[in-house]
C-alpha cells in the first residue's frame, strides 16, 4: 500500500511517517522513499510522548497555513495554486503491541487523526492480532477496514463485521476482504512487492536435483530469491528517488525531528561559521516546536546551576561549558577557575590558557587562597 501510494503520488502531495513497533524491519526499504519524513521504531514512554508533541505541533502548523490562506480545509487549499502542503500519512505496523504497552499513546494518536482529517493528517493501522485492541474509538475513526486471512472468526468480526476473513483459503496469500461501509464488503487480491522483480531482467532459471523439504539444507530466508536480485519494492523505491531528483523536488519538511543522540560531539553543534561568540555547549530537543536547537550560555545573562545524580554527566557537562567558553572568547576576555570536588575529572582543563587554576577538593589551603583572591578582585 505504501509502495503504491509512493509510485502514484508526488512527495509534494503526500508524505509518510512510518511507525514500526517491531524494530523497523517492515519499513526498511520504504524509509528511503522521498515521501518518508519520519521513521520511528521501538517506542518507549518518552519517545511516545515526544511523537505526540510533534504531531500536535504539526496540526498547529497546518492550521496556521490554512488560516493564512483563508481556507477551511486541505481540499480547498489544494483547489488553487499555492505552496505545497502535502497530506501526511502516519502508518503504524503492529499497533496491537503498541496499544497493549502504550494505550494512552494509541488513544491520543487516533484523536490526532480525527482532528487532523480536514488538515490532511491520516492514520493507517496494521496488526496481526486485532482481537481486543480495536477499540470503539478506532472503529469510529476508520472508514476503510481491510482483513486478510485470520485464524479466528472473532478477529474477522472485529475488523469487517463478519466472519468471512477466517474462511479465506490458506493457499491464497494476499487474498482479503475490504469493508467500505455497513454491508459493503468486497474481496480483493493484494499485490506482492517483496519478491524478485522481473523489471530488471528476465526471470532466472536454475536446475538442481530434486529433494524433499526435510532434506533441504535450510529454508529460504526471504522472498527475494536465491539470486539476491532486487525486489519490486527496491525497484519502486529507486525509481521514485530518481523521479524526484529529475523533477527537482526538494526534500519534504519533516514534522518529526530526530531524537537526541546518545553521544554528541562539539563539532555537531558548531558549524563552519563558528559559534558567533556564544558558549554553545548542548543540543535542546523541542518537539513541540518540531526542532532541535543548540544551547548557549552567556555569563552576563546570569549564573548557571547544573545538578544531576552521580554518573549522570555533570562533570562532562561542566567540561563542555568550559571548552565552549574558551572557544567563544580569548584569555584576555575571560578567565576560568575550577573547584573540582569529583576525583579531578576536570584536571585536563588546566591546559586551557583561560584557566588560572584547577583546585582539588582535598586541597583546602588552595581553596581558601582562591576564594580570598576572588574576594579581593571584587573589592
Amino acid at each position: 500500500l505504501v509502495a503504491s501510494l509512493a509510485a502514484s503520488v508526488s512527495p509534494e502531495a503526500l508524505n509518510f511517517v512510518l511507525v514500526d513497533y517491531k524494530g523497523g524491519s517492515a519499513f526498511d526499504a520504504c524509509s528511503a522513499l522521498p515521501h518518508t519524513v519520519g521513521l520511528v521504531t521501538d517506542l518507549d514512554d518518552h519517545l511516545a510522548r515526544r511523537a505526540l508533541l510533534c504531531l500536535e505541533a504539526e496540526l498547529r502548523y497546518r492550521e496556521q497555513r490554512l488560516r493564512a490562506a483563508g481556507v477551511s480545509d486541505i481540499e480547498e487549499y489544494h483547489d488553487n495554486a499555492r505552496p505545497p502542503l502535502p497530506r501526511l500519512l502516519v502508518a503504524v505496523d503492529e499497533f496491537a503491541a503498541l496499544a497493549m504497552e502504550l494505550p494512552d499513546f494509541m488513544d491520543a494518536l487516533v484523536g490526532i487523526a480525527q482532528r487532523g482529517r480536514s488538515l490532511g493528517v491520516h492514520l493507517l493501522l496494521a496488526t496481526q492480532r486485532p482481537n481486543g485492541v480495536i477499540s470503539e474509538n478506532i472503529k469510529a475513526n476508520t472508514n476503510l477496514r481491510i482483513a486478510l486471512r485470520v485464524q479466528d472468526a472473532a478477529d474477522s468480526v472485529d475488523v469487517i463485521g463478519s466472519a468471512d476473513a477466517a474462511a479465506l483459503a490458506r493457499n491464497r496469500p494476499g487474498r482479503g476482504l475490504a469493508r467500505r461501509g455497513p454491508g459493503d464488503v468486497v474481496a480483493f487480491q493484494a499485490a506482492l512487492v517483496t519478491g524478485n522483480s522481473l523489471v530488471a531482467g528476465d526471470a532466472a532459471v536454475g536446475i538442481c536435483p530434486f529433494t524433499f523439504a526435510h532434506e533441504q539444507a535450510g529454508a529460504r530466508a526471504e522472498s527475494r530469491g536465491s539470486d539476491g536480485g532486487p525486489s519490486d519494492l527496491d525497484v519502486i523505491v529507486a525509481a521514485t528517488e530518481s523521479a524526484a531528483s529529475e523533477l527537482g523536488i526538494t526534500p519534504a519538511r519533516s514534522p518529526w525531528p530526530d531524537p537526541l543522540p546518545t553521544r554528541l560531539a562539539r563539532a555537531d553543534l558548531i558549524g563552519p561559521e563558528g559559534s558567533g561568540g556564544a558558549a554553545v555547549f548542548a543540543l535542546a530537543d523541542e518537539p513541540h516546536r518540531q526542532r532541535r536547537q543548540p544551547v548557549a550560555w552567556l555569563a552576563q545573562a546570569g549564573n548557571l546551576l547544573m545538578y544531576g545524580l552521580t554518573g549522570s554527566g555533570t562533570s562532562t557537562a561542566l567540561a563542555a561549558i568550559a571548552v565552549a567558553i574558551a572557544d567563544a572568547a580569548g584569555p584576555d576576555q575571560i578567565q576560568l577557575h575550577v573547584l573540582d570536588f569529583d576525583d579531578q575529572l576536570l584536571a585536563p582543563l588546566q591546559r586551557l590558557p583561560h584557566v588560572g587554576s584547577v583546585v582539588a577538593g582535598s586541597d583546602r589551603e588552595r581553596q581558601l587562597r582562591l576564594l580570598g583572591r576572588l574576594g579581593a578582585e571584587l573589592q
Side-chain angles (χ1 to χ4, degrees):
L1 182 55
V2 171
S4 175
L5 289 170
S8 54
V9 184
S10 166
E12 292 182 335
L14 177 66
N15 293 159
F16 303 132
V17 167
L18 308 176
V19 182
D20 186 359
Y21 202 61
K22 297 186 297 185
S25 59
F27 290 129
D28 275 348
C30 296
S31 63
L33 288 166
H35 305 68
T36 301
V37 294
L39 175 63
V40 182
T41 62
D42 298 330
L43 279 171
D44 56 21
D45 286 335
H46 168 71
L47 289 179
R49 288 193 299 271
R50 184 179 186 275
L52 291 176
L53 287 173
C54 290
L55 289 177
E56 290 280 1
E58 179 65 15
L59 294 187
R60 292 193 297 272
Y61 168 79
R62 289 170 175 264
E63 287 172 347
Q64 292 170 1
R65 287 283 300 270
L66 296 186
R67 192 180 304 116
V71 298
S72 59
D73 58 36
I74 195 163
E75 294 284 354
E76 189 178 354
Y77 181 91
H78 288 150
D79 285 343
N80 298 304
R82 292 187 173 94
L85 180 60
R87 292 180 181 272
L88 182 66
L89 177 65
V90 182
V92 184
D93 192 25
E94 204 44 69
F95 80 90
L98 191 57
M100 293 291 290
E101 295 192 25
L102 301 171
D104 293 339
F105 173 77
M106 273 306 305
D107 289 341
L109 189 60
V110 174
I112 286 173
Q114 179 183 8
R115 291 183 289 122
R117 190 177 299 125
S118 63
L119 303 173
V121 177
H122 309 282
L123 190 60
L124 172 62
L125 302 175
T127 184
Q128 298 179 37
R129 298 166 295 167
N131 192 12
V133 297
I134 301 182
S135 65
E136 293 301 320
N137 191 27
I138 293 177
K139 290 180 180 179
N141 289 285
T142 49
N143 296 330
L144 178 63
R145 305 177 201 165
I146 292 175
L148 297 147
R149 187 177 70 85
V150 295
Q151 292 283 4
D152 300 320
D155 289 341
S156 178
V157 172
D158 266 350
V159 179
I160 60 173
S162 75
D164 294 346
L168 293 173
R170 293 174 57 87
N171 60 346
R172 292 288 187 270
R175 186 62 55 88
L177 299 167
R179 180 185 184 274
R180 300 180 295 188
D184 185 8
V185 179
V186 295
F188 70 91
Q189 176 65 40
L192 175 68
V193 295
T194 53
N196 263 353
S197 175
L198 302 185
V199 175
D202 295 332
V205 178
I207 300 176
C208 59
F210 172 80
T211 55
F212 289 101
H214 68 277
E215 297 173 346
Q216 294 175 2
R220 187 168 53 186
E222 53 187 24
S223 61
R224 293 181 61 184
S226 57
D227 61 352
S231 68
D232 282 325
L233 181 57
D234 295 327
V235 173
I236 290 171
V237 171
T240 307
E241 288 182 299
S242 176
S245 176
E246 289 181 16
L247 292 172
I249 296 177
T250 57
R253 166 188 170 275
S254 176
W256 209 291
D258 293 332
L260 294 176
T262 55
R263 294 179 66 87
L264 183 66
R266 180 158 167 76
D268 298 329
L269 294 172
I270 305 300
E273 68 282 357
S275 64
V280 181
F281 70 96
L283 185 65
D285 186 30
E286 298 181 336
H288 58 292
R289 295 178 178 171
Q290 298 178 306
R291 68 183 186 183
R292 301 188 309 180
Q293 284 281 97
V295 177
W297 177 52
L298 296 174
Q300 57 267 35
N303 298 317
L304 175 65
L305 171 65
M306 183 175 299
Y307 61 94
L309 296 173
T310 301
S312 62
T314 47
S315 296
T316 305
L318 285 175
I321 292 174
V323 172
I325 290 173
D327 183 58
D332 58 330
Q333 297 174 292
I334 192 163
Q335 296 178 5
L336 300 176
H337 294 278
V338 180
L339 289 165
D340 187 358
F341 289 83
D342 192 11
D343 298 330
Q344 288 289 280
L345 294 179
L346 300 178
L349 294 176
Q350 184 69 66
R351 294 159 58 188
L352 285 172
H354 306 67
V355 176
S357 58
V358 177
V359 182
S362 58
D363 196 340
R364 183 65 174 169
E365 181 180 349
R366 289 191 67 202
Q367 294 168 20
L368 295 174
R369 192 163 68 235
L370 173 60
L371 293 176
R373 178 176 177 179
L374 293 177
E377 179 70 18
L378 287 177
Q379 291 180 357

